[in-house]
Amino acid sequence: MPVVCSCCAQARAMLKRPKTGHSLCRECFFWAFEEEVHETIVSASLFTRGETVAIGASGGKDSTVLAHVLKVLNDRHHYGLKLLLLSVDEGITGYRDDSLETVRRNQRQYELPLKIVSYEELYGWTMDAIVKQVGLKNNCTFCGVFRRQALDRGAMMLKVDKICTGHNADDIAETVLMNVLRGDIARLRRCTAICTSGEGEGAVPRCKPLKYAYEKEIVLYAYFKRLDYFSTECIYSPNAYRGHARAFLKDLEAVRPSAIMDVIHSGENLSVREGVRMPVQGTCNRCGYISSQALCKSCMLLEGLNRGLPRLGIGKHHRLHGKILAQQPLTLDEERKLKAVDF
Ligand code: SF4
Protein backbone atom coordinates (compact mmCIF):
# COMPACT_ATOMS: atom_id res chain seq x y z
CA MET A 1 0.00 0.00 0.00
CA PRO A 2 1.40 3.44 -0.93
CA VAL A 3 2.66 5.54 1.98
CA VAL A 4 0.92 8.88 2.42
CA CYS A 5 2.91 12.08 2.95
CA SER A 6 3.29 12.65 6.68
CA CYS A 7 3.06 16.42 6.15
CA CYS A 8 0.01 17.05 3.91
CA ALA A 9 -1.58 13.59 4.54
CA GLN A 10 -2.96 13.72 0.98
CA ALA A 11 -0.36 13.01 -1.66
CA ARG A 12 1.67 9.86 -1.98
CA ALA A 13 5.05 9.99 -0.20
CA MET A 14 7.89 9.91 -2.73
CA LEU A 15 10.88 9.87 -0.39
CA LYS A 16 12.06 9.42 3.14
CA ARG A 17 13.98 12.48 4.29
CA PRO A 18 17.51 11.49 5.32
CA LYS A 19 17.56 14.35 7.83
CA THR A 20 14.33 13.63 9.71
CA GLY A 21 13.15 10.21 8.52
CA HIS A 22 9.77 11.74 7.50
CA SER A 23 8.03 10.28 4.46
CA LEU A 24 7.08 13.20 2.23
CA CYS A 25 5.55 13.92 -1.13
CA ARG A 26 7.58 15.90 -3.61
CA GLU A 27 5.94 19.28 -2.94
CA CYS A 28 6.18 18.98 0.85
CA PHE A 29 9.85 18.01 0.56
CA PHE A 30 10.58 21.02 -1.65
CA TRP A 31 8.80 23.29 0.80
CA ALA A 32 10.53 21.79 3.88
CA PHE A 33 13.97 21.97 2.26
CA GLU A 34 13.55 25.55 1.07
CA GLU A 35 12.06 26.79 4.32
CA GLU A 36 14.90 25.23 6.33
CA VAL A 37 17.37 27.19 4.22
CA HIS A 38 15.21 30.28 4.81
CA GLU A 39 15.33 29.60 8.55
CA THR A 40 19.14 29.32 8.38
CA ILE A 41 19.33 32.62 6.50
CA VAL A 42 17.01 34.45 8.89
CA SER A 43 18.38 33.08 12.15
CA ALA A 44 21.97 33.92 11.17
CA SER A 45 20.93 37.30 9.64
CA LEU A 46 22.92 36.41 6.54
CA PHE A 47 21.61 39.21 4.33
CA THR A 48 20.45 42.80 4.49
CA ARG A 49 17.85 44.20 2.11
CA GLY A 50 19.38 45.84 -0.94
CA GLU A 51 22.60 43.82 -0.88
CA THR A 52 24.22 42.47 -4.02
CA VAL A 53 25.09 38.82 -3.51
CA ALA A 54 27.33 36.72 -5.75
CA ILE A 55 26.60 32.99 -5.78
CA GLY A 56 29.80 31.01 -6.32
CA ALA A 57 28.66 28.83 -9.23
CA SER A 58 30.62 25.80 -10.40
CA GLY A 59 27.82 24.04 -12.25
CA GLY A 60 27.85 21.25 -9.62
CA LYS A 61 24.81 20.14 -7.64
CA ASP A 62 25.48 22.24 -4.52
CA SER A 63 25.91 25.60 -6.22
CA THR A 64 23.10 24.85 -8.69
CA VAL A 65 20.70 24.04 -5.83
CA LEU A 66 21.94 27.12 -3.94
CA ALA A 67 21.27 29.40 -6.93
CA HIS A 68 17.83 27.90 -7.46
CA VAL A 69 16.80 28.05 -3.79
CA LEU A 70 18.14 31.58 -3.25
CA LYS A 71 16.20 32.81 -6.26
CA VAL A 72 13.02 31.11 -4.98
CA LEU A 73 13.46 32.48 -1.45
CA ASN A 74 14.43 35.97 -2.62
CA ASP A 75 11.08 36.13 -4.49
CA ARG A 76 9.00 34.31 -1.89
CA HIS A 77 10.24 36.19 1.17
CA HIS A 78 11.10 39.50 -0.49
CA TYR A 79 14.72 39.57 0.67
CA GLY A 80 15.34 42.42 -1.75
CA LEU A 81 18.69 40.98 -2.91
CA LYS A 82 20.36 41.46 -6.24
CA LEU A 83 21.64 37.98 -7.08
CA LEU A 84 24.28 37.11 -9.62
CA LEU A 85 26.46 34.15 -10.51
CA LEU A 86 30.24 34.21 -10.13
CA SER A 87 32.32 31.37 -11.59
CA VAL A 88 35.98 30.57 -11.58
CA ASP A 89 37.60 29.00 -14.63
CA GLU A 90 40.61 27.09 -13.31
CA GLY A 91 41.66 26.11 -16.82
CA ILE A 92 41.05 22.36 -16.60
CA THR A 93 40.40 21.04 -20.08
CA GLY A 94 37.70 18.40 -20.25
CA TYR A 95 36.28 19.34 -16.87
CA ARG A 96 35.82 23.01 -16.10
CA ASP A 97 35.09 23.98 -19.69
CA ASP A 98 32.18 21.49 -19.65
CA SER A 99 30.91 22.52 -16.20
CA LEU A 100 30.99 26.19 -17.22
CA GLU A 101 28.63 25.30 -20.06
CA THR A 102 26.21 24.14 -17.35
CA VAL A 103 26.66 27.44 -15.51
CA ARG A 104 25.90 29.34 -18.73
CA ARG A 105 22.68 27.34 -19.11
CA ASN A 106 21.84 28.04 -15.44
CA GLN A 107 22.36 31.72 -16.13
CA ARG A 108 19.71 31.59 -18.83
CA GLN A 109 17.38 29.35 -16.81
CA TYR A 110 17.51 31.56 -13.69
CA GLU A 111 17.96 34.84 -15.58
CA LEU A 112 20.87 35.91 -13.39
CA PRO A 113 23.92 37.87 -14.56
CA LEU A 114 27.11 35.78 -14.77
CA LYS A 115 30.76 36.74 -14.35
CA ILE A 116 33.57 34.27 -15.03
CA VAL A 117 37.10 34.95 -13.78
CA SER A 118 39.93 32.73 -14.91
CA TYR A 119 43.22 31.65 -13.35
CA GLU A 120 44.89 32.41 -16.65
CA GLU A 121 43.79 36.06 -16.63
CA LEU A 122 44.44 36.52 -12.88
CA TYR A 123 47.65 34.52 -12.39
CA GLY A 124 48.96 33.78 -15.88
CA TRP A 125 48.65 30.04 -15.14
CA THR A 126 45.97 27.45 -15.88
CA MET A 127 45.57 24.35 -13.72
CA ASP A 128 46.55 22.29 -16.77
CA ALA A 129 49.91 24.13 -16.83
CA ILE A 130 50.29 23.93 -13.03
CA VAL A 131 49.72 20.16 -13.03
CA LYS A 132 52.34 19.83 -15.76
CA GLN A 133 54.84 21.50 -13.44
CA VAL A 134 53.82 20.16 -10.00
CA GLY A 135 52.22 16.81 -10.81
CA LEU A 136 49.14 15.40 -9.12
CA LYS A 137 50.25 15.46 -5.50
CA ASN A 138 49.84 19.07 -4.38
CA ASN A 139 47.77 20.42 -7.26
CA CYS A 140 44.65 20.95 -5.12
CA THR A 141 46.64 23.19 -2.75
CA PHE A 142 47.38 25.54 -5.66
CA CYS A 143 43.84 25.29 -6.96
CA GLY A 144 42.17 25.88 -3.57
CA VAL A 145 44.31 28.91 -2.66
CA PHE A 146 43.93 30.47 -6.12
CA ARG A 147 40.18 29.82 -6.20
CA ARG A 148 39.60 31.51 -2.85
CA GLN A 149 41.38 34.64 -4.02
CA ALA A 150 39.84 34.48 -7.50
CA LEU A 151 36.33 34.51 -5.99
CA ASP A 152 37.26 37.54 -3.90
CA ARG A 153 38.77 39.32 -6.88
CA GLY A 154 35.71 38.55 -9.02
CA ALA A 155 33.44 39.75 -6.21
CA MET A 156 35.38 43.01 -5.97
CA MET A 157 35.16 43.56 -9.73
CA LEU A 158 31.39 43.13 -9.42
CA LYS A 159 31.30 45.29 -6.26
CA VAL A 160 29.16 42.71 -4.44
CA ASP A 161 28.47 42.85 -0.71
CA LYS A 162 28.67 39.11 -0.11
CA ILE A 163 29.61 35.82 -1.68
CA CYS A 164 27.47 32.73 -1.05
CA THR A 165 29.00 29.31 -1.49
CA GLY A 166 27.28 25.94 -1.77
CA HIS A 167 29.09 24.26 1.15
CA ASN A 168 26.72 21.76 2.71
CA ALA A 169 26.58 20.06 6.12
CA ASP A 170 28.65 17.08 4.94
CA ASP A 171 31.40 19.39 3.61
CA ILE A 172 31.55 21.29 6.88
CA ALA A 173 31.62 18.15 9.06
CA GLU A 174 34.44 16.77 6.86
CA THR A 175 36.37 20.02 7.26
CA VAL A 176 35.97 19.92 11.05
CA LEU A 177 37.38 16.37 11.09
CA MET A 178 40.24 17.27 8.74
CA ASN A 179 41.23 20.25 10.89
CA VAL A 180 41.09 18.13 14.06
CA LEU A 181 43.24 15.46 12.42
CA ARG A 182 45.74 18.05 11.18
CA GLY A 183 45.74 19.96 14.47
CA ASP A 184 44.93 23.14 12.56
CA ILE A 185 43.43 25.16 15.41
CA ALA A 186 43.11 28.43 13.48
CA ARG A 187 41.09 26.82 10.70
CA LEU A 188 39.14 24.67 13.17
CA ARG A 189 37.93 27.80 14.88
CA ARG A 190 36.80 29.39 11.61
CA CYS A 191 35.49 26.47 9.60
CA THR A 192 32.03 26.17 11.17
CA ALA A 193 31.26 29.90 10.90
CA ILE A 194 28.24 30.41 8.67
CA CYS A 195 29.54 33.79 7.60
CA THR A 196 33.11 35.04 7.58
CA SER A 197 33.47 38.66 8.50
CA GLY A 198 35.47 39.69 5.43
CA GLU A 199 38.08 41.41 7.61
CA GLY A 200 41.10 42.67 5.79
CA GLU A 201 41.89 44.01 2.39
CA GLY A 202 40.52 42.00 -0.47
CA ALA A 203 38.18 39.78 1.51
CA VAL A 204 34.48 39.87 0.79
CA PRO A 205 32.21 38.36 3.48
CA ARG A 206 31.25 34.80 2.60
CA CYS A 207 28.26 32.83 3.77
CA LYS A 208 27.02 29.29 3.53
CA PRO A 209 23.21 29.15 3.40
CA LEU A 210 23.31 25.34 2.89
CA LYS A 211 25.37 24.84 6.06
CA TYR A 212 22.70 22.61 7.64
CA ALA A 213 21.52 20.91 4.42
CA TYR A 214 22.56 17.27 4.02
CA GLU A 215 24.26 16.37 0.78
CA LYS A 216 21.77 13.52 0.26
CA GLU A 217 18.87 15.99 0.43
CA ILE A 218 20.61 18.37 -1.98
CA VAL A 219 20.89 15.48 -4.44
CA LEU A 220 17.21 14.60 -3.92
CA TYR A 221 16.17 18.22 -4.36
CA ALA A 222 18.19 18.58 -7.57
CA TYR A 223 16.85 15.25 -8.86
CA PHE A 224 13.15 15.85 -8.18
CA LYS A 225 13.37 19.47 -9.40
CA ARG A 226 15.18 18.20 -12.50
CA LEU A 227 17.84 20.87 -12.09
CA ASP A 228 20.51 21.09 -14.75
CA TYR A 229 23.84 20.37 -13.07
CA PHE A 230 27.22 18.87 -13.87
CA SER A 231 28.24 15.77 -11.95
CA THR A 232 31.61 14.68 -13.34
CA GLU A 233 34.60 14.65 -10.96
CA CYS A 234 37.60 16.84 -11.64
CA ILE A 235 40.24 15.00 -13.67
CA TYR A 236 42.92 16.20 -11.20
CA SER A 237 41.07 15.09 -8.10
CA PRO A 238 43.26 13.07 -5.76
CA ASN A 239 42.27 15.06 -2.63
CA ALA A 240 43.00 11.92 -0.61
CA TYR A 241 42.83 13.54 2.78
CA ARG A 242 39.28 14.83 2.36
CA GLY A 243 38.39 11.43 0.91
CA HIS A 244 39.50 9.73 4.15
CA ALA A 245 37.50 12.20 6.26
CA ARG A 246 34.47 11.61 4.01
CA ALA A 247 34.74 7.82 4.22
CA PHE A 248 35.14 8.01 8.01
CA LEU A 249 32.09 10.27 8.31
CA LYS A 250 29.99 7.93 6.14
CA ASP A 251 30.95 5.00 8.41
CA LEU A 252 29.96 7.03 11.46
CA GLU A 253 26.70 8.05 9.82
CA ALA A 254 25.82 4.42 9.14
CA VAL A 255 25.83 3.67 12.88
CA ARG A 256 24.67 7.08 14.07
CA PRO A 257 22.55 9.00 11.52
CA SER A 258 22.99 12.31 13.37
CA ALA A 259 26.82 12.10 13.08
CA ILE A 260 27.10 14.95 10.53
CA MET A 261 25.14 17.43 12.64
CA ASP A 262 26.87 16.21 15.81
CA VAL A 263 30.32 16.89 14.33
CA ILE A 264 29.23 20.37 13.19
CA HIS A 265 27.82 21.18 16.63
CA SER A 266 31.02 19.94 18.28
CA GLY A 267 33.05 22.18 15.95
CA GLU A 268 30.81 25.16 16.69
CA ASN A 269 31.24 24.73 20.41
CA LEU A 270 34.97 24.18 20.55
CA SER A 271 36.84 27.06 22.11
CA VAL A 272 40.55 27.73 22.05
CA ARG A 273 42.32 27.78 25.42
CA GLU A 274 43.55 31.18 26.51
CA GLY A 275 47.19 31.75 25.74
CA VAL A 276 47.26 29.64 22.55
CA ARG A 277 49.02 31.69 19.89
CA MET A 278 46.89 32.27 16.83
CA PRO A 279 48.01 33.76 13.51
CA VAL A 280 47.50 37.52 13.32
CA GLN A 281 45.72 38.63 10.14
CA GLY A 282 47.48 41.36 8.22
CA THR A 283 47.87 42.02 4.52
CA CYS A 284 50.24 40.71 1.89
CA ASN A 285 53.07 43.15 1.19
CA ARG A 286 52.93 42.35 -2.49
CA CYS A 287 49.24 42.14 -3.51
CA GLY A 288 47.42 43.54 -0.45
CA TYR A 289 45.32 40.39 0.07
CA ILE A 290 44.69 39.16 3.63
CA SER A 291 47.64 37.26 5.01
CA SER A 292 49.18 36.39 8.35
CA GLN A 293 52.65 36.51 6.75
CA ALA A 294 54.59 39.12 4.77
CA LEU A 295 53.50 37.35 1.57
CA CYS A 296 50.12 35.67 1.13
CA LYS A 297 49.91 32.01 0.22
CA SER A 298 48.81 32.84 -3.30
CA CYS A 299 51.86 35.08 -3.95
CA MET A 300 54.19 32.40 -2.55
CA LEU A 301 52.65 29.69 -4.75
CA LEU A 302 52.88 31.96 -7.77
CA GLU A 303 56.47 32.90 -6.99
CA GLY A 304 57.33 29.20 -6.76
CA LEU A 305 55.68 28.46 -10.10
CA ASN A 306 57.35 31.40 -11.84
CA ARG A 307 60.78 30.45 -10.46
CA GLY A 308 60.30 26.79 -11.37
CA LEU A 309 60.46 25.98 -7.62
CA PRO A 310 56.85 25.00 -6.88
CA ARG A 311 57.78 23.74 -3.40
CA LEU A 312 58.34 27.34 -2.36
CA GLY A 313 54.63 27.82 -1.73
CA ILE A 314 54.11 24.45 -0.03
CA GLY A 315 55.06 24.19 3.61
CA LYS A 316 56.52 26.97 5.68
CA HIS A 317 59.23 29.07 4.08
CA HIS A 318 58.49 32.32 5.90
CA ARG A 319 62.17 33.16 6.33
CA LEU A 320 62.41 33.55 2.54
CA HIS A 321 59.61 36.14 2.32
CA GLY A 322 61.95 39.12 2.88
CA LYS A 323 64.28 37.95 0.14
CA ILE A 324 61.44 37.39 -2.30
CA LEU A 325 59.94 40.80 -1.58
CA ALA A 326 63.34 42.40 -2.15
CA GLN A 327 63.56 40.39 -5.42
CA GLN A 328 66.85 38.89 -4.31
CA PRO A 329 67.91 35.56 -5.83
CA LEU A 330 67.89 32.51 -3.56
CA THR A 331 71.24 30.94 -2.74
CA LEU A 332 72.15 27.71 -4.50
CA ASP A 333 71.77 25.93 -1.18
CA GLU A 334 68.24 27.28 -0.67
CA GLU A 335 67.29 26.28 -4.22
CA ARG A 336 68.85 22.85 -3.75
CA LYS A 337 66.81 22.27 -0.58
CA LEU A 338 63.61 23.32 -2.32
CA LYS A 339 64.34 21.00 -5.23
CA ALA A 340 65.62 18.12 -3.12
CA VAL A 341 62.45 17.29 -1.21
CA ASP A 342 60.09 14.91 -2.91
CA PHE A 343 57.25 16.95 -4.30
FE1 SF4 B 1 40.99 22.11 -8.32
FE2 SF4 B 1 41.69 19.85 -7.07
FE3 SF4 B 1 39.13 20.64 -7.10
FE4 SF4 B 1 40.28 19.78 -9.34
S1 SF4 B 1 39.89 18.57 -7.46
S2 SF4 B 1 38.99 21.61 -9.15
S3 SF4 B 1 42.38 20.51 -9.10
S4 SF4 B 1 40.84 21.68 -6.11
Side-chain angles (χ1 to χ4, degrees), residues 186-199:
R187 285 210 175 90
L188 184 56
R189 207 171 61 156
R190 290 195 305 258
C191 73
T192 54
I194 191 159
C195 205
T196 59
S197 62
E199 302 154 354

Side-chain angles (χ1 to χ4, degrees), residues 23-285:
S23 299
L24 296 181
C25 67
R26 228 179 279 207
E27 291 307 315
C28 286
F29 169 64
F30 294 154
W31 184 265
F33 183 88
E34 289 158 3
E35 287 305 300
E36 280 174 16
V37 177
H38 173 61
E39 178 58 30
T40 304
I41 289 170
V42 171
S43 57
S45 305
L46 289 192
F47 307 123
T48 307
R49 177 170 293 280
E51 279 182 336
T52 303
V53 175
I55 301 164
S58 66
K61 64 179 183 339
D62 299 309
S63 61
T64 304
V65 167
L66 178 65
H68 179 86
V69 171
L70 279 186
K71 188 169 163 60
V72 166
L73 295 177
N74 194 30
D75 293 343
R76 183 186 295 161
H77 294 289
H78 312 291
Y79 291 164
L81 302 176
K82 184 177 174 222
L83 298 174
L84 39 91
L85 303 175
L86 174 58
S87 294
V88 176
D89 180 0
E90 297 95 343
I92 302 176
T93 312
Y95 167 68
R96 186 54 84 213
D97 40 3
D98 292 341
S99 68
L100 284 175
E101 276 313 308
T102 312
V103 177
R104 288 191 186 94
R105 288 198 301 276
N106 290 161
Q107 171 197 13
R108 294 191 289 274
Q109 289 152 358
Y110 304 150
E111 297 174 323
L112 297 175
L114 165 67
K115 166 89 183 158
I116 301 175
V117 287
S118 75
Y119 284 5
E120 188 153 36
E121 108 199 37
L122 294 176
Y123 308 112
W125 286 82
T126 61
M127 274 311 292
D128 287 338
I130 293 172
V131 168
K132 259 193 200 136
Q133 185 176 132
V134 311
L136 281 172
K137 202 167 158 200
N138 287 295
N139 57 305
C140 291
T141 302
F142 287 82
C143 194
V145 170
F146 287 164
R147 185 184 306 107
R148 181 167 184 84
Q149 200 184 78
L151 268 181
D152 275 326
R153 293 222 216 160
M156 281 187 289
M157 288 177 206
L158 293 167
K159 298 190 172 45
V160 306
D161 300 293
K162 277 182 189 134
I163 303 171
C164 279
T165 58
H167 292 99
N168 60 43
D170 300 52
D171 296 329
I172 295 168
E174 284 163 17
T175 308
V176 171
L177 287 178
M178 283 164 66
N179 287 332
V180 168
L181 297 171
R182 285 177 173 146
D184 192 332
I185 307 298
R187 285 210 175 90
L188 184 56
R189 207 171 61 156
R190 290 195 305 258
C191 73
T192 54
I194 191 159
C195 205
T196 59
S197 62
E199 302 154 354
E201 183 83 17
V204 179
R206 282 172 192 235
C207 38
K208 304 167 191 154
L210 300 183
K211 178 183 172 186
Y212 297 114
Y214 281 25
E215 186 174 44
K216 284 179 190 153
E217 298 211 345
I218 290 173
V219 173
L220 285 173
Y221 187 89
Y223 173 77
F224 282 116
K225 280 275 180 190
R226 297 177 197 271
L227 299 186
D228 182 4
Y229 68 92
F230 183 80
S231 52
T232 307
E233 271 230 1
C234 171
I235 54 170
Y236 302 140
S237 161
N239 221 341
Y241 207 63
R242 182 169 285 275
H244 292 313
R246 178 167 300 173
F248 179 53
L249 200 60
K250 290 281 169 232
D251 287 348
L252 288 179
E253 208 190 357
V255 287
R256 186 179 165 90
S258 62
I260 288 173
M261 247 5 126
D262 295 342
V263 171
I264 294 178
H265 289 150
S266 301
E268 286 171 337
N269 290 301
L270 282 174
S271 59
V272 180
R273 182 164 38 88
E274 240 179 79
V276 173
R277 272 183 50 205
M278 301 293 278
V280 181
Q281 291 288 21
T283 50
C284 173
N285 290 346

